[in-house]
Amino acid sequence: MTAAPVPAPATPMTYRQVLTTRNVPQLLLSASLSRLASEMLLFVVVLYVLARFRSPVLAGLSGFFLTLPGFLVSPMAGALLDRVGAARAVILDNLVSAVLIGLVAVASAGGRLTPAVLLTLLGLLSLTSPLSAGGIRTLFPRFVPDDAYDRANALDLSTYSVIEVVGPLAGGAVIALIGPDPALVLVAAMYVLAALSLLLLRGSAAEPPRAERRHLLREAWEGVTYLVRNATLRGLAVSYSCYQVTFGILVVAVPVSVAQRVDGAGHTEQYAGALWSLVGLCGAAGALTAGRLLRAGRERLLLIVTTVLSALAIYPLGAVAMLATLAVGLALFGLLEGALNVGVLSLRQRRTDPTLLGRVMTVSISINLIGFPVGTALGGLLVERSGSLAYAVAAGFALLAALWGALVIPREPAGTPPVRAGRPRRRRWPGAGSPTPGRTRRRPGGR
């Protein structure tokens, strides 16, 4: 059963209209619960390991096992997402996460939780995490009209920005109030509620038509090669990865700068935490603003403008040796980051073959994250030499992101309708590197 196509209104939808669109409230609720559980989980697990095993090394390994396995299997997860359907895949991820975190809590309460068992369960949990990361952003464009993508994405990203601020605070508060084991049970319950929220979706999830089913590995590889051959997605991958290098450098440089600027007052953690909370809140505001003002076809321009202005916010504004100017620079950076994320997500959705959207989303998200650990490693080396140098290099990577986007990402073709997720069109974007859905390809020289 296929949901009826959503008619495109004559005027852009308001945020209120998007929020009252069928299935959008349930989807936002599920996404918020799942993301809050994930944000809390990282901090709950780290604090739990420090309290139970008193091992910073094991705490670091716990965070490592919560993230790396999912990155490695993201192409396979994307293929599975397209095969079973985005809604089912997200429900599966939430339920698996709930079961595995529940097992950690049970093993801990029974005194049977060893480091090996903990890391194994966390690694298994990570394997399904790309299903939610890509699945949520695959579902949103299937429930709203073409010209409401930006507002739907803005609502999605703004809630995520707020959760990034609230999650660590909630995780620490829950541990302090009810203890480690009950905190793990609470996180597991949140995953269950996230799954139940998706079961409230009415009608079908508007899954796009599927071509003939092939081997899962081949479908996973097809998602990777589609991204590499698609000029827009290829440009976004490199451009946004450069931007993530900028973000990674700031994660290291900001606490060091704060420590220098508060003159050893002993409040580095509080000031640094407040600054990053400011970034998250401004990111939510930037996303909502972009969703209200952005129009289809303007995403590429938005990417270029926001990355250039981000460079100016970082250097020289953020590099000035005053805490107030650093706060202003980071607040502006957060506003621009929120707007940029809306444009990147909408552009990726509009220029992707709907039958490959799940695979492309999971692979793209993973590739985009590559820049972050590179940035953190680079930031540590740069800050040791000079704080100003670190900010200058961070600004340089933001400018590189703008330059790459301007040179590689194709302009909006005049008179070409956007690709509608859930309603595949036969026309292709220039440089897309993907044939019309359902059309066969010759292997020599093409694959």
Side-chain angles (χ1 to χ4, degrees):
M1 176 181 178
T2 303
V6 183
T11 59
M13 296 179 71
T14 64
Y15 280 121
R16 183 175 180 179
Q17 289 173 324
V18 173
L19 279 172
T20 55
T21 300
R22 190 176 73 164
N23 292 323
V24 169
Q26 299 95 307
L27 186 56
L28 272 176
L29 176 62
S30 177
S32 299
L33 287 169
S34 177
R35 288 164 177 168
L36 181 57
S38 298
E39 288 291 324
M40 289 177 59
L41 178 62
L42 178 60
F43 288 87
V44 168
V45 166
V46 169
L47 293 173
Y48 170 82
V49 169
L50 291 174
R52 172 72 184 273
F53 298 101
R54 301 187 184 281
S55 171
V57 174
L58 182 58
L61 285 174
S62 298
F64 180 84
F65 273 78
L66 267 174
T67 54
L68 184 65
F71 169 77
L72 295 177
V73 302
S74 59
M76 289 284 291
L80 181 64
L81 192 155
D82 281 333
R83 176 172 291 191
V84 306
R88 296 188 189 95
V90 176
I91 291 172
L92 173 65
D93 173 42
N94 285 318
L95 292 179
V96 168
S97 298
V99 169
L100 292 173
I101 294 302
L103 289 176
V104 172
V106 170
S108 174
R112 297 179 179 275
L113 187 65
T114 64
V117 172
L118 174 65
L119 295 180
T120 299
L121 292 174
L122 294 180
L124 291 174
L125 186 150
S126 175
L127 290 176
T128 61
S129 60
L131 294 176
S132 285
I136 291 296
R137 273 135 191 207
T138 302
L139 283 170
F140 267 110
R142 293 176 183 164
F143 297 132
V144 297
D146 296 333
D147 64 353
Y149 278 10
D150 302 312
R151 281 174 169 76
N153 290 330
L155 288 170
D156 176 31
L157 291 166
S158 62
T159 55
Y160 193 25
S161 295
V162 173
I163 286 170
E164 284 183 320
V165 176
V166 174
L169 298 176
V174 166
I175 284 277
L177 289 174
I178 63 178
D181 291 340
L184 290 171
V185 174
L186 178 61
V187 170
M190 293 175 66
Y191 278 121
V192 172
L193 290 175
L196 292 177
S197 299
L198 277 188
L199 292 176
L200 297 175
L201 294 178
R202 292 176 292 168
S204 75
E207 303 291 347
R210 291 279 294 141
E212 71 278 6
R213 180 168 294 187
R214 297 181 293 276
H215 194 282
L216 191 64
L217 284 174
R218 182 176 178 182
E219 292 189 349
W221 179 246
E222 189 177 63
V224 175
T225 55
Y226 180 88
L227 185 145
V228 172
R229 295 172 187 273
N230 185 305
T232 296
L233 300 179
R234 186 171 65 245
L236 284 176
V238 177
S239 177
Y240 198 75
S241 293
C242 290
Y243 192 79
Q244 283 295 300
V245 174
T246 296
F247 198 88
I249 293 175
L250 292 179
V251 166
V252 178
V254 168
V256 175
S257 297
V258 170
Q260 295 170 347
R261 298 176 195 199
V262 298
D263 198 23
H267 300 294
T268 300
E269 293 82 1
Q270 292 90 327
Y271 280 110
L275 286 174
W276 283 117
S277 296
L278 178 64
V279 172
L281 293 174
C282 289
L288 290 173
T289 302
R292 185 177 182 83
L293 301 178
L294 186 61
R295 296 291 180 267
R298 299 284 183 172
E299 298 92 350
R300 176 179 174 273
L301 177 61
L302 179 67
L303 181 148
I304 296 169
V305 171
T306 52
T307 47
V308 169
L309 292 179
S310 293
L312 297 177
I314 297 165
Y315 193 91
L317 188 58
V320 176
M322 292 175 59
L323 195 60
T325 57
L326 177 61
V328 171
L330 289 176
L332 180 57
F333 178 82
L335 283 169
L336 295 166
E337 183 203 17
L340 169 66
N341 288 336
V342 172
V344 168
L345 185 53
S346 296
L347 186 60
R348 186 187 295 138
Q349 290 167 341
R350 286 193 172 103
R351 298 194 183 183
T352 299
D353 181 343
T355 63
L356 298 173
L357 189 58
R359 275 165 278 183
V360 169
M361 279 291 177
T362 52
V363 173
S364 295
I365 290 171
S366 296
I367 290 177
N368 288 342
L369 292 176
I370 291 175
F372 183 78
V374 173
T376 55
L378 184 59
L381 295 173
L382 294 171
V383 167
E384 191 174 13
R385 293 175 176 270
S386 166
S388 295
L389 177 63
Y391 284 102
V393 173
F397 271 99
L399 290 175
L400 183 61
L403 179 63
W404 189 271
L407 294 178
V408 177
I409 298 176
R411 294 178 181 273
E412 191 84 6
T416 303
V419 175
R420 167 69 169 153
R423 288 187 289 159
R425 300 186 186 273
R426 299 186 63 84
R427 189 167 182 176
R428 288 189 296 157
W429 293 96
S434 173
T436 302
R439 188 174 296 175
T440 58
R441 259 183 301 205
R442 292 180 299 172
R443 293 182 61 87
R447 286 288 291 167

